[in-house]
Amino acid sequence: MEGTMQTQPPSDPGGQGSDGRVDSKSRYDWKDITEEFMSSASALQMGELLHDTNFGLFEAMSAIEMMDPKMDAGMMCNQIQRKVLTFDSALESGAIKIKDLSIPELIGIMDTSLACLVTWLEGHSLAQTVFTNLFLHNPYMIDDKCLKAFSILMLKLVDHIRDRVNRAGVFEEEDFQSLTYGFKMAADVTDARATGMMKEVEDDLNRIIKMTRSKVGEERDAQTEQEHEITNALFSRVKFFRLFLMGLLSFSKEKCEGIPQAQKLICQLLELLPIIRDTICMGIQPDNKEVGKNDYPTIMGFEPLVNQRLLPPTFPRYTVIRSREEALGHIEGLLYRLQIVTTVPELTTFHIIMEAFQEFSKSSPCVLSRSILQLTLLPVNKRVFGVHTMVDFLKDTIRNFIAPPVLSQKSALYNNSQAKQYVDAWFVQVVRPFTALVQITGHNRARQRDKWAHILEDLSALQEEADKVDACLHQMLTKMEPNRQHIACLGNWVLYHTLQAMISYLLAGFELELYATYEYHYVYWYLYEMLYSWLINTLHRADNFLLENETMAGEK
Amino acid sequence: MISESEHPLTGSDVNKNLTLPTSIEDSKPRIEGKIPNGKINHLNDENGRIVRNISTDQDNHKMDLVAQCTCGSGVQHSNEVDNDDESSEHLLCESVRRVHIESQLEDDIKEIDGISYTVYESEKQMPDIMRLITKDLSEPYSIYTYRYFIHNWPKLCFLAMDKEKCVGAIVCKLDMHKKMVRRGYIAMLAVDADYRRKQIGSRLVMKAIKGMIADDCDEVVLETEITNKAALRLYENLGFVRDKRLFRYYLNGVDALRLKLWLR
């Protein structure tokens, strides 16, 4: 499908003509075999089924009955009374306009686009949300400066969000659908140009706002006041979308350099929200028509069924687009969550980060904020905050936790080349499961639980290796420094995380309502008697070790 | 600094080293003779098909079994001895035995309270099954879905009949899961609206599970909407446990719960 796409995917494959007109370039020679088929079929026994070797009962389960509205998604298009419009047909018929749009129209289109964006972020397909906006199918044809800039920006926004969520990889099919169905995402327009176009529109609107502002000693007439208010409403939106894209882009700057800028932009965005919220009513509203499945009333430029033929012809999903108010609520939540993300680079050790990430996850944040959180800690280059290697970062964390001699500069073991070899080889193994631990916190709450269970295997293998390394190092150390020990330093640290994973697994069961009441007491018992007491043991051991270390260092 | 005994074990090792809570110690099964030991041996009939399960071991593993049992520890485990020596059911996990309609698990349910229970016989019954299930379930299925299950596993499809009228149906399958475990799956269960709260659903599930046990099944799973309280009650009363939560599982956006019954 990708190769043959123009700006707008064909929503009219083969023609919807029901007049039976045969295409003059027809290469088919249809023959009616109904009678032969029926008489052959009558020779089958009851319950007997004729099928190809490669298409048995299992494959047949994906079959749908054509023209059954419950199963055939395409039937929706044929059932409704009105004609489904495409960008071209809508333009031709005058159903949409591409120039001289009024401000209420622009406001309505922007607010509805935002609602579609939010609905997409909640797990629905682009085809049934963002791309129901016909203007996005062919933005370069739009004459209206504001609408054109907005449409291009919308495409860039969607593209960027897709990129971030895909890279973070902390979503499943119930969280997010990234398929773009071959739509062009204005790839030839740079981010700078897109935001630049919006800035030009902002400047034009700002001039009008200044002109219509109430001046000291002068009485404004009602019309000027109206113009001022409504232009301000539009201005706020244009600025909002421009800053929103810029904000998201600043998170992806290398080495977290864009974080301060992100913080400023989020503040500005939060300031703009109330104005937008208060002026929703100024945008054009849909008529109060009947709501059907996937055919709801909407405003100029939006066609709920325009992409129906792009979707797989399976059971139709009913996508409810969020209301404009709800969408703003979601965006507000998103902005607050992103504010929290901006504080992450201040966190120092792995343990602190795990705590912070788990805390963040408790509020069931949206897939976008989760993804940006993950990418802020571990961007594409796989370095912590883009700067430190994972190994160095974890070494620091372990030093803090239990100060194993092999990692301590004061110890003779530190410079011993064989010890270094053992330890470095072990650290290579550590990276994968510990990266996974962080990523687990990025998934949705239900998926996290399964992943906690799976990682226990990796952690127990790591523990075994840690114990071996500890034993070797201990032997070596006692020869060099008879007073020092290296029993289970690394092992203790891995155990600490294993226990945390087990505890998270059990606690998740409560939240996800997986325990029957008669099971509660064994979960409580296991947590109390086993897991938490072992956890405290590991912490005590670590503390004791640190204390001993300090004493030793003091004595030297 | 750290003695071996202190070092905790992870994963499945943990169970074996724990002292069991006192309440289970006190309620040791006092059955002589056929004590469940978690290992089920089979008796094959002339055709090699597994017909009955027998056990010959006196139990040393019963504590393990009881420890792994999903019953509450406060439950008095049953002393009942089956009169039917060769019945497979009393060798199963205690939680499966402790069901409200225990007595019927022993007998083969043919007819009760005016409703007869039969296994699937022919394509003639297909429209009834489809009609019943389509009415109640939120997701649409084509006839091929029904055929896939019923043609491959006809012995796991049961109907509840009120004379000539089909008032309940259950559709299942039994397969290898990840090459390791024989897993039964209850695909669909529906009871006519006028015949609810008469234990018909439970009895259909029981028949299906008996069929699966007879075919060497290790566990049974199904998914149901988290809002479907009646289904959750039905299965949990039979010893099913909530295994997983699946967000937005169904087409209508509702979460699902995966329920699981361990048989071994």
Side-chain angles (χ1 to χ4, degrees):
Chain A
M1 225 181 183
E2 288 281 350
T4 56
M5 272 308 157
Q6 290 133 16
T7 314
Q8 155 204 355
S11 49
D12 231 38
Q16 282 174 321
S18 52
D19 56 0
R21 191 165 42 90
V22 176
D23 192 338
S24 58
K25 287 192 245 152
S26 164
R27 290 191 298 277
Y28 304 108
D29 180 18
W30 297 111
K31 187 176 164 196
D32 187 345
I33 56 163
T34 314
E35 269 212 53
E36 283 173 61
F37 183 85
M38 297 306 274
S39 76
S40 304
S42 65
L44 290 170
Q45 298 289 329
M46 179 170 53
E48 203 176 347
L49 183 70
L50 186 70
H51 67 88
D52 185 83
T53 27
N54 293 332
F55 193 83
L57 285 172
F58 185 75
E59 291 75 27
M61 278 210 286
S62 343
I64 54 165
E65 284 174 32
M66 295 204 294
M67 298 173 64
D68 178 332
K70 242 186 165 186
M71 292 191 232
D72 186 343
M75 271 308 283
M76 286 194 292
C77 302
N78 294 346
Q79 298 231 301
I80 54 167
Q81 307 296 54
R82 61 185 179 77
K83 190 174 187 315
V84 173
L85 298 166
T86 62
F87 178 85
D88 292 329
S89 60
L91 191 59
E92 241 183 75
S93 67
I96 59 171
K97 26 181 199 168
I98 51 173
K99 56 183 172 182
D100 303 326
L101 278 98
S102 70
I103 295 185
E105 284 169 338
L106 289 166
I107 291 179
I109 291 169
M110 288 186 179
D111 288 348
T112 309
S113 298
L114 188 66
C116 290
L117 184 77
V118 167
T119 310
W120 171 54
L121 290 177
E122 290 183 336
H124 295 274
S125 70
L126 281 170
Q128 289 179 311
T129 55
V130 177
F131 290 146
T132 58
N133 178 345
L134 295 175
F135 297 111
L136 300 183
H137 294 216
N138 212 338
Y140 300 140
M141 277 202 65
I142 301 172
D143 281 333
D144 184 292
K145 201 170 170 190
C146 178
L147 186 59
K148 183 174 187 172
F150 174 76
S151 303
I152 291 175
L153 188 107
M154 205 22 119
L155 290 172
K156 308 252 4 128
L157 192 57
V158 166
D159 205 24
H160 181 76
I161 292 174
R162 270 189 69 237
D163 175 69
R164 294 281 101 191
V165 176
N166 278 332
R167 279 187 200 278
V170 288
F171 67 97
E172 303 280 348
E173 62 173 351
E174 66 264 19
D175 296 313
F176 185 72
Q177 292 187 41
S178 67
L179 213 52
T180 55
Y181 307 94
F183 274 88
K184 291 264 185 282
M185 311 290 273
D188 44 352
V189 178
T190 61
D191 294 329
R193 180 85 192 101
T195 48
M197 285 167 76
M198 292 289 268
K199 190 74 173 65
E200 281 173 33
V201 174
E202 262 173 69
D203 292 339
D204 292 342
L205 293 171
N206 211 9
R207 250 171 259 134
I208 300 175
I209 292 172
K210 287 209 181 93
M211 276 193 330
T212 54
R213 187 187 302 160
S214 57
K215 300 178 182 68
V216 178
E218 269 184 45
E219 272 283 332
R220 260 190 323 187
D221 64 29
Q223 200 187 7
T224 317
E225 200 179 325
Q226 244 281 59
E227 197 184 350
H228 180 86
E229 296 298 325
I230 204 166
T231 312
N232 197 28
L234 183 61
F235 170 80
S236 306
R237 283 163 171 77
V238 177
K239 185 168 180 186
F240 182 87
F241 282 99
R242 177 176 65 92
L243 297 182
F244 189 52
L245 180 61
M246 285 172 68
L248 292 180
L249 290 172
S250 53
F251 275 104
S252 35
K253 289 217 178 95
E254 273 183 21
K255 304 190 185 175
C256 297
E257 283 164 356
I259 295 291
Q261 189 194 18
Q263 284 172 327
K264 286 200 199 87
L265 289 168
I266 293 173
C267 284
Q268 289 181 283
L269 288 164
L270 285 167
E271 280 168 25
L272 287 168
L273 273 183
I275 306 171
I276 298 177
R277 202 176 254 132
D278 291 339
T279 52
I280 290 178
C281 48
M282 290 188 183
I284 51 171
Q285 307 286 334
D287 303 326
N288 274 335
K289 271 188 292 180
E290 250 193 55
V291 176
K293 285 200 186 287
N294 269 11
D295 190 27
Y296 43 84
T298 182
I299 61 172
M300 167 185 75
F302 288 83
E303 173 51 79
L305 295 172
V306 64
N307 301 311
Q308 210 52 42
R309 294 283 152 87
L310 295 174
L311 296 169
T314 57
F315 312 118
R317 285 173 188 262
Y318 184 23
T319 308
V320 181
I321 303 284
R322 287 284 191 191
S323 75
R324 302 176 191 187
E325 288 85 2
E326 286 171 331
L328 284 177
H330 179 106
I331 294 287
E332 190 175 17
L334 173 63
L335 290 172
Y336 284 131
R337 286 190 287 277
L338 290 177
Q339 269 187 330
I340 297 175
V341 175
T342 60
T343 62
V344 163
E346 298 161 24
L347 305 174
T348 49
T349 68
F350 183 84
H351 296 186
I352 294 174
I353 285 175
M354 276 301 284
E355 256 185 58
F357 277 38
Q358 288 197 282
E359 199 54 44
F360 185 80
S361 168
K362 281 185 188 160
S363 60
S364 297
C366 66
V367 69
L368 181 56
S369 49
R370 285 188 264 133
S371 304
I372 293 182
L373 180 68
Q374 293 283 318
L375 288 171
T376 303
L377 177 72
L378 283 172
V380 182
N381 66 0
K382 294 286 179 210
R383 280 169 175 250
V384 177
F385 301 127
V387 179
H388 320 284
T389 62
M390 194 60 171
V391 171
D392 286 341
F393 193 68
L394 291 172
K395 278 185 179 168
D396 256 350
T397 300
I398 301 185
R399 254 184 227 120
N400 253 315
F401 182 72
I402 197 169
V406 71
L407 296 177
S408 151
Q409 286 180 322
K410 297 211 186 95
S411 164
L413 212 53
Y414 185 72
N415 291 313
N416 178 302
S417 64
Q418 198 179 37
K420 261 196 189 156
Q421 242 188 342
Y422 285 148
V423 163
D424 287 341
W426 183 73
F427 265 102
V428 169
Q429 287 184 40
V430 171
V431 171
R432 207 176 52 83
F434 275 74
T435 310
L437 278 175
V438 175
Q439 285 170 336
I440 290 177
T441 64
H443 282 267
N444 73 46
R445 301 296 281 171
R447 294 279 181 174
Q448 271 185 36
R449 190 169 190 264
D450 300 335
K451 293 183 192 291
W452 289 129
H454 282 125
I455 201 148
L456 292 177
E457 231 184 276
D458 293 334
L459 288 175
S460 86
L462 193 64
Q463 173 104 44
E464 267 187 55
E465 288 302 311
D467 290 340
K468 284 188 200 148
V469 174
D470 274 329
C472 283
L473 294 177
H474 179 67
Q475 261 196 337
M476 291 170 69
L477 186 60
T478 44
K479 290 193 194 122
M480 296 183 216
E481 297 175 45
N483 291 336
R484 310 246 354 235
Q485 309 203 42
H486 208 291
I487 302 179
C489 287
L490 304 174
N492 202 41
W493 181 71
V494 177
L495 181 61
Y496 174 71
H497 287 284
T498 307
L499 291 169
Q500 294 277 40
M502 291 167 85
I503 291 169
S504 300
Y505 175 81
L506 286 180
L507 293 179
F510 286 114
E511 186 188 326
L512 300 171
E513 301 177 79
L514 295 179
Y515 301 135
T517 36
Y518 65 78
E519 294 180 287
Y520 277 36
H521 62 267
Y522 10 112
V523 181
Y524 288 142
W525 170 81
Y526 193 67
L527 283 168
Y528 170 71
E529 193 77 33
M530 306 288 154
L531 296 179
Y532 280 126
S533 61
W534 285 331
L535 191 68
I536 292 174
N537 280 346
T538 58
L539 288 171
H540 276 156
R541 272 183 233 133
D543 267 349
N544 285 340
F545 208 82
L546 285 172
L547 215 58
E548 265 192 37
N549 249 7
E550 279 176 33
T551 330
M552 297 262 183
E555 283 168 10
K556 273 193 178 153
Chain B
M1 252 162 71
I2 307 155
S3 59
E4 270 312 301
S5 60
E6 251 188 90
H7 194 92
L9 304 159
T10 51
S12 56
D13 288 337
V14 180
N15 273 334
K16 297 213 179 79
N17 293 315
L18 297 176
T19 39
L20 294 163
T22 49
S23 49
I24 290 185
E25 297 265 5
D26 289 342
S27 60
K28 282 180 201 170
R30 289 185 283 280
I31 308 167
E32 292 176 359
K34 315 242 194 288
I35 296 168
N37 67 350
K39 293 190 176 66
I40 301 182
N41 301 313
H42 300 111
L43 181 70
N44 294 343
D45 70 2
E46 314 78 46
N47 302 322
R49 280 210 60 215
I50 294 164
V51 171
R52 294 185 299 211
N53 302 320
I54 53 173
S55 169
T56 51
D57 297 345
Q58 285 287 325
D59 183 50
N60 285 324
H61 300 297
K62 66 176 185 289
M63 296 308 274
D64 273 12
L65 183 69
V66 171
Q68 288 160 30
C69 169
T70 55
C71 302
S73 60
V75 170
Q76 186 69 18
H77 288 276
S78 166
N79 295 358
E80 288 174 48
V81 180
D82 270 358
N83 292 325
D84 178 7
D85 290 344
E86 307 298 353
S87 166
S88 51
E89 280 75 26
H90 74 272
L91 299 172
L92 295 166
C93 174
E94 294 288 339
S95 65
V96 174
R97 299 188 46 192
R98 188 186 57 84
V99 294
H100 295 312
I101 41 181
E102 233 174 286
S103 54
Q104 274 132 34
L105 186 50
E106 277 111 45
D107 306 323
D108 192 22
I109 308 165
K110 285 273 162 51
E111 170 158 357
I112 184 155
D113 292 344
I115 306 289
S116 64
Y117 296 86
T118 56
V119 75
Y120 177 82
E121 272 159 1
S122 82
E123 188 77 13
K124 282 208 203 98
Q125 296 165 313
M126 190 67 84
D128 275 339
I129 297 172
M130 285 180 62
R131 176 188 47 83
L132 198 56
I133 292 177
T134 311
K135 232 194 299 178
D136 286 337
L137 298 192
S138 59
E139 312 229 307
Y141 295 128
S142 74
I143 187 170
Y144 296 104
T145 305
Y146 294 95
R147 288 229 179 91
Y148 167 73
F149 287 103
I150 298 175
H151 284 213
N152 280 323
W153 295 277
K155 296 275 176 273
L156 295 180
C157 173
F158 293 93
L159 291 84
M161 309 291 292
D162 178 7
K163 306 216 184 31
E164 294 303 310
K165 182 172 167 201
C166 176
V167 300
I170 188 167
V171 174
C172 313
K173 75 170 187 159
L174 175 56
D175 238 333
M176 280 306 274
H177 177 69
K178 297 198 172 148
K179 297 187 186 165
M180 288 189 309
V181 160
R182 272 181 79 72
R183 175 185 271 198
Y185 178 71
I186 300 178
M188 310 165 209
L189 168 69
V191 174
D192 188 302
D194 298 331
Y195 289 78
R196 304 244 169 102
R197 305 194 66 105
K198 294 181 198 289
Q199 304 280 304
I200 295 176
S202 298
R203 291 191 188 114
L204 284 169
V205 174
M206 303 274 275
K207 291 218 48 124
I209 294 177
K210 272 173 68 95
M212 293 178 191
I213 291 170
D215 206 1
D216 205 14
C217 176
D218 298 318
E219 62 187 30
V220 184
V221 302
L222 64 117
E223 292 99 21
T224 184
E225 285 155 323
I226 195 167
T227 46
N228 191 343
K229 299 212 191 302
L232 290 171
R233 248 199 319 270
L234 189 161
Y235 291 106
E236 286 178 331
N237 280 341
L238 292 175
F240 281 79
V241 160
R242 301 179 186 197
D243 190 36
K244 265 191 203 174
R245 172 95 171 243
L246 308 156
F247 281 168
R248 291 168 50 100
Y249 187 72
Y250 292 106
L251 288 177
N252 54 11
V254 174
D255 292 351
L257 284 172
R258 160 89 45 82
L259 301 180
K260 194 161 171 178
L261 176 71
W262 277 268
L263 294 170
R264 307 172 198 230

